[in-house]
Amino acid sequence: MKSVGPGEGVASPCPSGPEARVAARERLRGLAAFGAAGLALSAAGVAGYGLPCPWRVLTGTLCPLCGATHLGMRLLAADVPGAFAANPFVFLILAGVTAVTAWTLAELAGASPPPRTPALLRGDRLWAVLGILGLLFAVARNLPGTPL
């Protein structure tokens, strides 16, 4: 049985090399697709072709994403406070997406990788955290007298 010395057999906390570049390119493709979809929906909203929220149509309450098209329209008009007011939850998610995009571009340009993401915010856990936060936001924004 071979003994494992310090640092052997353990994934580096900040991977580098060809595998990391491939992962960064894949991440960038996903971010670009996300951005293109958001831009298309926002541009459609500016042109007067907004899509109604199915949840709001059925229940009369606001879902966590209600206002995202208005947020995008306000960002296209460079109205950052208006964008935040349209949907603070999605605005903060977009801030995180912007940071990940910047880190990914810097990594592809040769900079060292960003700090390791906490385990709570990796993989399926990230979606669970976003789902729980989205649910809490939806409940809070539908309470009487809430300015969300």
Side-chain angles (χ1 to χ4, degrees), residues 2-98:
K2 181 183 173 190
S3 65
V4 177
E8 292 180 25
V10 178
S12 168
C14 294
S16 60
E19 298 86 14
R21 292 184 66 74
V22 168
R25 283 189 193 107
E26 287 298 316
R27 189 169 54 246
L28 191 58
R29 282 187 195 105
L31 291 166
F34 177 80
L39 180 62
L41 287 172
S42 299
V46 169
Y49 297 107
L51 300 171
C53 172
W55 179 263
R56 189 166 187 186
V57 169
L58 291 173
T59 67
T61 60
L62 299 170
C63 81
L65 301 178
C66 279
T69 303
H70 289 277
L71 178 147
M73 292 167 51
R74 291 201 170 82
L75 285 177
L76 287 174
D79 179 11
V80 176
F84 183 80
N87 190 317
F89 178 68
V90 173
F91 186 91
L92 294 174
I93 290 173
L94 285 178
V97 167
T98 302

Side-chain angles (χ1 to χ4, degrees), residues 139-147:
V139 169
R141 75 186 316 201
N142 286 294
L143 292 174
T146 304

